[in-house]
Amino acid sequence: MIISRTPFRISFFGGGTDYPPWFKQHGGAVLSTSFDKYCYITCRELPPFFEHKYRVAYSKVENAKDIGDIEHPAVRAVFSEMGMTQGLEVHADADLPARSGLGSSSSFVVGMLNSLSALQGKRVTKEWLTQEAIRIEQEVLRENVGSQDQAAAAHGGFNVIHFQQDGGLRVEPLVLPAARKQELNEHLMLFFTGFSRFSSDIAKAQVANMEKKAESLHRMRAMVDEGISILCDGRDIRDFGDLLHCGWIQKRGLSDQVSNGSIDALYDKARQAGAIGGKLLGAGGGGFMLLFVPPQQQPAVRSALGDLIHVPFKFENTGSHVIYYQP
C-alpha cells in the first residue's frame, strides 16, 4: 500500500502567463502558494483473483480488464505512460471538490505519478513530478492547461514560478518573514461559490484571445513583481488586497466566461461587507472565491455570504510526498 498527499494551490497573480503559447513568446511568472487541503492517492497491487485487472475509485468506481478500458482520462494516461502492466487498485480522495479552481486536476496527476513511482520502487524529484505532469496534461491529454498548477502541487510552499521563453520553468521560493506570511494568511478568506466547471473549456477561449489581450497579460505579469514588493518591502498589507482587486478586473477582461452575473453579485456583496479585493481561483467561471478581508471585517463578510461554504485554511510548504510506504 502506498499513499501520497498532494496539496491544492492558491494563485495570486500572473495567471494566464503560464500557458505555453504565451510564455514561449513573452515569458511569464506566477505568485502562488499551496495550502493545507489535499488530494490523497492510495494504490496497491491488485491480487490476481478477480475478473478485472484494474480497479479505480474516485467519484465513481471502475473495474477494467485493460488500461484502454478505463474511462477516467488522467488515470488511463498515467497508467499507460508509466507502463503499469500489473494489476492495480487506486483510490482518490480529496478535502475539497474537483473542478473548483484550486488546481485539483494537476494535484491528482502529480499525486498519481508520485504514488505509482513509489510502487515501482522509484524515488522521484519534485522537478520530475512537475515536468511529467505538465507533459501528460498538455501533450498526452491535450488539455488547455497552463504550467503553474503542476509546479505548485509538486513543490508546495509560497513561490514565484517563472516560465521562460525556451520552455523552461523555475520555482523560486519567496523569502518572507514568518510573521508577514501569517499576517497575509489572516487577511484571506476562501468561499465555495458552488459553481463547478471544467477549466480547460474556459481556458480554451482565453488562449484563443491571448494576442488580443496582450496588454492585460503584461499587466498581470507585472502584478507578480508588485505583489512581491508589497509583501517583502514592509508596505501596508492592505495594498495586497487592492492589487487583487485590480487583478480581478484584468482577468474578467480575458474572456466572457471568466465570470457571470451571479459571481459578480457575490463579489460585490463581499466588497460592500468589508472585503478589499479578491478573485475567482483558477480559470474562472465558478468554484472557489478568494477574498482579502481585514480580520475585523471578516464576521461581516461571513454573514453577507452566509449561503456559501467558508473554508478556513493555512499555507503549507511540503508539496507532494509519500506519507505511507508499505509496498
Side-chain angles (χ1 to χ4, degrees):
M1 183 78 70
I2 310 291
I3 304 175
S4 68
R5 188 180 79 171
T6 306
F8 296 136
R9 66 94 185 96
I10 289 171
S11 179
F12 297 110
F13 304 110
T17 71
D18 65 310
Y19 289 91
W22 175 263
F23 70 72
K24 287 184 179 180
Q25 290 191 54
H26 308 281
V30 167
L31 179 64
S32 72
T33 186
S34 56
F35 66 105
D36 63 345
K37 300 294 180 284
Y38 303 94
C39 169
Y40 298 87
I41 302 294
T42 303
C43 68
R44 70 180 183 114
E45 292 191 10
L46 191 67
F49 305 116
F50 308 96
E51 291 186 3
H52 55 272
K53 188 175 183 180
Y54 303 101
R55 181 177 177 85
V56 185
Y58 47 106
S59 57
K60 63 182 290 186
V61 177
E62 294 190 52
N63 295 321
K65 293 183 178 180
D66 298 296
I67 290 176
D69 296 332
I70 297 172
E71 295 179 13
H72 194 295
V75 174
R76 187 173 64 246
V78 172
F79 278 17
S80 179
E81 292 299 302
M82 296 191 69
M84 306 303 293
T85 56
Q86 75 270 41
L88 285 176
E89 182 172 15
V90 172
H91 288 250
D93 300 282
D95 293 327
L96 298 174
R99 303 194 308 276
S100 55
L102 302 173
S104 57
S105 296
S106 295
S107 293
F108 178 84
V109 173
V110 168
M112 283 274 293
L113 290 169
N114 211 357
S115 287
L116 294 179
S117 295
L119 192 65
Q120 292 178 330
K122 299 177 183 177
R123 183 177 182 273
V124 297
T125 65
K126 294 182 182 299
E127 290 76 15
W128 183 86
L129 287 172
T130 299
Q131 294 298 339
E132 187 65 4
I134 289 172
R135 186 186 71 82
I136 288 175
E137 290 192 79
Q138 294 179 359
E139 299 178 19
V140 179
L141 295 174
R142 306 190 72 80
E143 294 183 347
N144 295 294
V145 297
S147 301
Q148 65 162 309
D149 293 349
Q150 305 87 346
H155 287 264
F158 207 120
N159 301 303
V160 186
I161 306 172
H162 299 271
F163 309 98
Q164 299 160 343
Q165 288 176 279
D166 63 2
L169 179 152
R170 178 167 57 89
V171 178
E172 176 190 353
L174 187 66
V175 178
L176 195 63
R180 184 65 160 172
K181 189 182 294 186
Q182 182 177 346
E183 183 183 22
L184 174 61
N185 203 157
E186 290 172 349
H187 279 74
L188 297 175
M189 303 182 76
L190 191 63
F191 290 92
F192 184 54
T193 67
F195 309 121
S196 294
R197 80 289 177 271
F198 287 98
S199 61
S200 183
D201 297 338
I202 298 170
K204 184 177 181 180
Q206 293 183 23
V207 171
N209 286 331
M210 274 185 170
E211 289 306 320
K212 295 180 181 178
K213 302 296 183 180
E215 184 177 352
S216 291
L217 286 165
H218 283 301
R219 288 178 182 171
M220 292 168 73
R221 165 61 184 89
M223 288 179 181
V224 173
D225 297 329
E226 181 69 9
I228 294 170
S229 173
I230 292 169
L231 293 176
C232 297
D233 295 346
R235 294 166 54 181
D236 191 327
I237 194 68
R238 290 174 295 183
D239 291 349
F240 199 89
D242 290 328
L243 192 63
L244 280 171
H245 179 64
C246 292
W248 170 237
I249 293 172
Q250 292 293 330
K251 183 174 179 176
R252 288 182 77 257
L254 294 179
S255 166
D256 58 7
Q257 297 182 52
V258 169
S259 188
N260 56 49
S262 298
I263 292 169
D264 288 343
L266 290 172
Y267 184 72
D268 291 342
K269 188 183 294 186
R271 294 250 299 164
Q272 291 167 9
I276 294 176
K279 59 176 293 190
L280 276 182
L281 296 173
F288 279 91
M289 179 180 288
L290 179 74
L291 295 171
F292 184 98
V293 189
Q296 64 271 22
Q297 300 299 125
Q298 292 184 10
V301 171
R302 273 196 298 270
S303 177
L305 302 182
D307 293 336
L308 303 185
I309 298 174
H310 172 227
V311 181
F313 68 92
K314 293 182 179 180
F315 300 151
E316 74 95 62
N317 58 11
T318 60
S320 182
H321 66 289
V322 173
I323 60 173
Y324 183 83
Y325 183 71
Q326 192 67 43

